[in-house]
Amino acid sequence: MTTPGFRPTHVVPPDGLPAWETPDPSRPAAPLAALLPVQLLDRRGDWSRIMCENGWSTWVDGRLLVPVPQAPPRTGGPPAGTADPRPLLARAEEALARYRAAAEDLAAGHLDGESFRERTRGLRIGVVVDGESVWLYEAGRERWAYCEGTLLSTYAATEEPSAAADEAGRSRPTRPR
């Protein structure tokens, strides 16, 4: 049975996806089957509330959902909600510059090994450029993002949905430790 008005916005990744009754990892629900079409209803940080075509609603780690291509907007502008990759590119450049400066100081004898470790502590970046495509690691959200030009989307997440505040300052669900 298909719910009237159901239009998939995403599909479940090829390996399936864990689901939760609420945005709380202590309340698991039945896992979702691979490539199941779903409709995004709500976001809370890394969490996404989705609806399946039979009308069942559940919460998932929204970073792992695979977007379904939509028709281009009629306004001629960028698609609504598309993340701009330039701030993430700038953060990657800044982190790489900090690492390069510390490595140069170490090579020149201005730093010892412990000072080098201290200056580079916490730096985490990842960048793969392949022609028009780029993969960027966003350490603050523990995710890999994929970009072609100016369209940035989550490619893979490395942790469960986190408890940190999202960029808009909204709280995100807590994760058991």
Side-chain angles (χ1 to χ4, degrees):
M1 173 181 93
T2 301
T3 302
F6 177 81
R7 181 171 175 182
T9 58
H10 295 78
V11 294
V12 171
D15 294 332
L17 193 61
W20 293 272
E21 293 176 19
T22 63
D24 176 356
S26 69
R27 309 249 347 241
L32 300 174
L35 304 176
L36 177 72
V38 299
Q39 183 178 38
L40 179 65
L41 301 174
D42 188 20
R43 285 191 187 268
R44 291 188 192 163
D46 293 339
W47 293 97
S48 291
R49 187 168 66 92
I50 52 102
M51 179 174 60
C52 302
E53 74 178 332
N54 66 1
W56 183 59
S57 176
T58 190
W59 289 89
V60 298
D61 182 348
R63 301 171 298 173
L64 302 176
L65 291 172
V66 179
V68 172
Q70 302 295 319
R74 298 180 193 268
T75 63
T82 299
D84 184 348
R86 291 174 293 182
L88 186 52
L89 286 165
R91 287 194 297 273
E93 286 177 282
E94 290 165 7
L96 183 58
R98 286 180 49 206
Y99 187 89
R100 183 178 48 244
E104 288 173 0
D105 286 348
L106 179 65
H110 301 300
L111 290 178
D112 60 17
E114 182 58 34
S115 298
F116 175 77
R117 280 188 289 282
E118 186 61 34
R119 275 184 57 185
T120 58
R121 182 168 299 155
L123 285 178
R124 286 187 73 182
I125 64 168
V127 178
V128 176
V129 177
D130 184 18
E132 65 192 34
S133 303
V134 65
W135 289 264
L136 300 165
Y137 183 71
E138 186 175 9
R141 297 190 68 197
E142 298 177 338
R143 70 174 183 152
W144 278 93
Y146 173 75
C147 178
E148 285 182 318
T150 60
L151 303 175
L152 182 72
S153 60
T154 298
Y155 181 74
T158 58
E159 294 286 331
E160 288 182 6
S162 68
D166 63 17
E167 282 106 86
R170 295 179 297 258
S171 64
R172 293 190 347 212
T174 57
R175 181 170 67 91
R177 298 258 173 220

